[in-house]
Amino acid sequence: MDDFTLWYSTPAVNWHQGLPLGNGRMGAVVMAAPHHEVWSMSEVTYWSGQADPEPALAGGKRALEHMRRQFYSGNYDEGDRLAKQYLQPDKQNFGTNLGLCKVVMQFAELSPDRTLEDSFRRELDLNLALAKAAWRNKDTTVYREVFASHADDLIVSRVWSDRSGGVSFSLRLEGDTGSFRTTIMDDCTLKFEGKATENVHSNGSCGVSAEGYVKVVIAGGTVTGRDGRLTVHGAEEAYIYFTVSTDYRKTGPEWKQECRITLDKALGKGYSLLRADHFEDYAEQYNKVDIQLGTASKSNLTTDQRIRLLAEGGDDDPQLFALFLQYGRYLTIAGSRANSPLPLHLQGVWNDGEACRMGWSCDYHLDINTQMNYYPAEITNLGDSHLPLMRYVEDLAAAGKSTARNLYGSEGWVAHVFSNVWGFTLPGWDTSWGLNVTGGLWLATHLMEHYEYSQDRAFLESTAYPVLKEAAVFYLDYMDIHPSYGWLVTGPSNSPENHFYPGTAGGTVHQLSMGTTLDQILVRELFEFCLKSIELLDRDAEFGEQLREAVDMLPPLQIGKKGQLQEWLEDYEEAQPEHRHLSHLFALYPGHQITPERTPELSAAARVTMQNRMLQEELEDVEFTAALFGLGFARLHDGEMAYKHVSHLISGLCFDNLFTYSKSGIAGAETNIFVIDGNFGGTAVIAEMLLQSYAGEIHLLPALPQAWNKGKVTGLRAKGNAEVDAVWENGELTSATIRTFMSGTYTVCRGERRTTFHAEAGGSYTLSHELDLIDQ
């Protein structure tokens, strides 16, 4: 059995057992069973809603000064009231990403008395990005395979049999919205049209329109179109092609021709060439990293069995963690390519409809979810997949200029707790959770991350610095000097999405305050990055002086009376010590303001913060929290605790298809609901346990647990534009190779050992167990 295949011997009975495919724009969850197969189709631009005029919340700086005086004086009730009056918009046509349709195939049933366990297998081969199913029935086997081609921009499938004329099935489409309709174009083609409309997040009439085709091509047998379905009978094999286009950001009717042109080109190439080009295109990204953890492998067991064994306390399946890492990389490639029109949202590019029908939205949350989607992109060597987020941040910055001006009377740009595809940058419609004034900045730190890994000066000059400079312009103008401390602070703002008692525990609960720790961490990151960019690009010297003065006035990180890292400027009592968010630990991960070597006291406080949360019986145990615990302990170089939390994520917060979920009842979730950030957060945990890089240093195996006593990894990325391979046995590094893509000085660390050397661009440097250079 292949270590990097998800496989099952039982049918997929629901969406959470289906296997995901994607080409960076379209998604499909394939639910295969012996006699039927359903593809749940989605498209990343298929959004309800529209760009509404920004309401006039015309308080400006005068209103901001008034409410700040209330917070400074301890009058939180009045401060909250004013914030709601001046900074809380009404909900309009925000929208949500909607599912597109379902492709439903019913296969001829020849001998239903055979047991499924003996006759059926379905799988997702991560090496090939290929979903397969095989159904053995008496002396006949019917084979199916599906892939999502990024190279040719469509979903493609083949059905064949080892018996002549053994392929017979019907195919129809079911729409996910009321406007969906299908037309039989001929005996082998269905055309579909739809509009992304719903009544929970918009008015039920506005949204993106879509049009597409499903075409069946057969060898032998017959295919007919009737009563809204295509029927294949007695074929040797059948090929299915699915294409779709939308009118998102397009004018005129030409967009409707795009999917027809795509289909015609695919038919001209033929299945074999489409398949070969898909493999080549995908392998270019996927094959950059390989990982082996230990020698034991349970790949002979089905994936759902392996998850359950881990949940029961089994720790002898290290390759399940390697599978999870490569699955996270696979999902990144499937959901986000260099030319994707939008970045990954709450559910990647997939959509089960659950977030769309309730108070949640399948959107871009800016207080951890969207950020975590891209936590592993750079370190796992998928920097190109990060690019759609870079473009989205550019668009967000452009849209956020009017919000900065209209809401706060400031220059620059700002965005808050969430956004959509329509340029929404206002606060959410309740200040208790919606007034996160650094949500857009948090997302924009990914511009910094992409530059620090790539060292792409052109990207810094044309994209990262201009966007971040305008963010810095906003905060310089918006922030205020605290009358008691003399510190430069943000606010009012919340610490996502937490609550506190400003007085004694048991009093009135509040969310808004001045100078939350997360805000101050992010502003410091912003100002210091801009200062480095100013020096490197040799520009904006006067602006740099303003930033230097501001940095000196920012509050320090503080340790509270319980030994914890303070979440707020004041040492408030937590109203929800079990809360799922750990936003102020940004300083530990993904930031580096806290490190075990440089800030031991703050590192100890960060540990206390996590331990205090873990001790709560009512801990809000969701996918991103498990990942954050794992990432925090990995950064503290505590491999056993990091392993504990990523183990819990895989065994306790994953569906059978390894999609992560948020538990029912938490944050309004009506059921265990698929949220993809845990897949990416967990992938980042595993990578960070094996490699960390910051402050010009590369740390090898910094959080290696006993369970991964032996292994090797190739192709992980380090900041400074380098790749790293490592091999270890008995928990000790045996060798490492650093490939450098630009010249410079590199410091490599393993525990207390370290070595520093000068590297040339294009160089390869092999280090021994003692970190001696043995080959270059």
Side-chain angles (χ1 to χ4, degrees), residues 477-497:
D477 189 22
Y478 158 83
M479 292 172 75
D480 192 42
I481 297 176
H482 196 293
S484 298
Y485 304 116
W487 291 331
L488 194 61
V489 296
T490 60
S493 183
N494 59 34
S495 183
E497 299 173 16

Side-chain angles (χ1 to χ4, degrees), residues 253-265:
E254 291 79 12
W255 69 270
K256 294 186 176 183
Q257 303 303 315
E258 293 173 1
C259 57
R260 183 75 230 189
I261 293 169
T262 298
L263 178 61
D264 290 342
K265 287 181 178 179

